[in-house]
Amino acid sequence: MQLLSWLHRWTGGIVGILLAVIGLSGTVLLWEESWIMLPGADQPVVADPVALGEAVAAARKAGPELSRITFASEEIGLHQAIYADGSGAYLNQDGVLVERWASRWDRPELWLFDLHHYLLMGEAGKSITGILGFLLLGFCITGLLLWWRTRKTYRFRIWPARFTRSAIVRHHRDLGAVASPLLILVAFTGAMMVFPTISAWLLYPMTEEQIAPPLPENLGRPDEQTNWPLVMARAQAAFPTAVPRRLMMPAAEGAPLALRLRQDFEWTPNGRTYVWIDTRSAHVVAEQDPATSDMASSLTEKYYPVHAAKVGGIAWRLVMSFAGLSLAMLGLFASWSFWAGQARAPYRQGPRTGSAAAV
């Protein structure tokens, strides 16, 4: 137990600040629709294919080389357009430009997303957040084992009783015991999203062979002649009851464009139903229906909506907010108390004198 305690304290002292940053940024992102106060953000969703097609055409005119457009949802009633140069725009559901930005630093929800997922470090930062997820799993398990010895002194506190090292340690121990079940869920879903290979290995017994639909490679690129309302109408006809969520321009020359839709049974906000379209003829060239996927894919699809509280309504969002704020406090106070204790340690121990020193 002494070695376990030493590992828990030292590792937490080193990475506690990073965990606090991830916890706090994630909590703020849970409520982003409440603080994105742009005109039209609270507009009711209109899923008419003609209106969506006109919005795509407007988004293409608003910036250079549209990369993708995420359509308005019940959370945010604005279309979000992202362009190849990293800039972006919000348009209302009438296709009118509401906000334009040159980089992610111009919009708080964008750089907060990058901070939470990538620590502002790109793919390397994404790997670090995944590793932090596994470390958080370890902290929760070891913390519960260490707490069990002192469970009779348990007293739940949202905030430390005093800002002394001993009071902060007790607060860390007891808050961690309450938050650990939620933090285990947060850590696991986050790590599995970062490292899908590990997820695939864990879910291998539930995996069935999936054949990706063949896609043509000699199609024309979208241009000024593209009939976007017709494209959206024909794509919607492939899954009449699904809601169009994100249109992605061709990733390579000759490739079709892709539309993501969300069916009723899907938890992921943007869905995993795909329709690929030839913009020249506005014909559907391929489809992918998650209703025919295996159990492993069905479980994988739920990582993000559970992690980001995109399901469960306001109740689950409040629960996950508690988890995020708890992680922020646990990480921040753990780092502060650990390094403050290390700084004072030499002075507390001090040199021994007299007969005691001679023993």
Side-chain angles (χ1 to χ4, degrees):
M1 275 298 180
Q2 191 170 3
L3 176 60
L4 197 66
S5 177
W6 183 87
L7 287 172
H8 187 95
R9 287 187 297 107
W10 270 92
T11 312
I14 293 170
V15 304
I17 295 294
L18 290 177
L19 289 172
V21 168
I22 290 175
L24 187 58
S25 60
T27 303
V28 176
L29 286 170
L30 289 176
W31 302 91
E32 64 177 321
E33 77 281 359
S34 301
W35 48 263
I36 298 180
M37 295 180 288
L38 294 172
D42 57 351
Q43 186 176 354
V45 178
V46 177
D48 175 54
V50 174
L52 294 179
E54 292 173 350
V56 175
R60 284 174 58 83
K61 294 178 181 178
E65 196 173 351
L66 179 67
S67 176
R68 69 175 186 268
I69 178 169
T70 303
F71 298 116
S73 67
E74 294 179 358
E75 291 186 349
I76 302 175
L78 298 170
H79 304 310
Q80 185 193 73
I82 300 297
Y83 300 96
D85 63 355
S87 64
Y90 281 121
L91 299 93
N92 67 21
Q93 294 183 64
D94 296 322
V96 177
L97 182 66
V98 172
E99 178 82 349
R100 188 80 169 83
W101 62 86
S103 74
R104 67 172 182 265
W105 301 110
D106 297 333
R107 291 300 311 171
E109 67 273 17
L110 298 182
W111 66 258
L112 275 170
F113 181 91
D114 197 277
L115 175 64
H116 183 75
H117 289 77
Y118 300 97
L119 294 174
L120 307 179
M121 297 168 58
E123 288 301 315
K126 183 179 179 181
S127 297
I128 292 173
T129 60
I131 293 170
L132 288 171
F134 285 118
L135 287 175
L136 180 55
L137 280 172
F139 289 141
C140 292
I141 295 169
T142 57
L144 287 171
L145 291 174
L146 293 169
W147 169 82
W148 186 254
R149 299 177 302 169
T150 60
R151 62 189 183 280
K152 292 182 179 180
T153 63
Y154 166 80
R155 183 178 176 186
F156 177 70
R157 301 179 181 87
I158 292 293
W159 198 253
R162 297 176 302 279
F163 274 90
T164 62
R165 186 171 182 272
S166 60
I168 288 175
V169 168
R170 287 195 296 272
H171 168 263
H172 178 94
R173 177 194 64 197
D174 294 337
L175 178 61
V178 174
S180 280
L182 290 172
L183 294 179
I184 288 172
L185 179 63
V186 168
F188 177 78
T189 53
M192 292 303 100
M193 286 188 287
V194 174
F195 299 117
T197 303
I198 297 176
S199 174
W201 177 76
L202 292 173
L203 298 177
Y204 179 76
M206 293 175 278
T207 302
E208 299 175 6
E209 185 177 0
Q210 302 289 312
I211 300 176
L215 301 178
E217 299 178 351
N218 58 349
L219 305 178
R221 291 188 64 82
D223 56 28
E224 297 302 321
Q225 304 303 317
T226 301
N227 188 335
W228 291 107
L230 180 61
V231 167
M232 293 301 301
R234 288 186 172 173
Q236 175 76 74
F239 293 93
T241 61
V243 178
R245 290 299 306 124
R246 176 176 289 172
L247 186 71
M248 296 167 285
M249 295 298 135
E253 192 69 31
L257 63 83
L259 175 67
R260 288 179 65 170
L261 304 97
R262 181 175 181 267
Q263 300 187 64
D264 290 340
F265 63 85
E266 296 184 81
W267 290 20
T268 302
N270 290 328
R272 292 197 177 186
T273 302
Y274 282 84
V275 174
W276 288 272
I277 311 139
D278 176 6
T279 54
R280 185 180 299 164
S281 64
H283 287 155
V284 172
V285 297
E287 303 172 6
Q288 183 170 295
D289 187 355
T292 63
S293 63
D294 56 18
M295 181 62 71
S297 298
S298 178
L299 291 174
T300 301
E301 183 257 343
K302 293 172 175 57
Y303 290 155
Y304 173 70
V306 170
H307 184 91
K310 299 300 183 182
V311 292
I314 189 71
W316 185 244
R317 197 183 307 181
L318 288 170
V319 168
M320 295 304 280
S321 296
F322 168 73
L325 292 174
S326 296
L327 178 58
M329 285 190 287
L330 291 168
L332 185 62
F333 289 150
S335 289
W336 180 83
S337 64
F338 175 80
W339 291 111
Q342 293 300 313
R344 290 194 298 266
Y347 300 98
R348 285 201 308 268
Q349 293 171 0
R352 290 177 294 177
T353 60
S355 58
V359 175

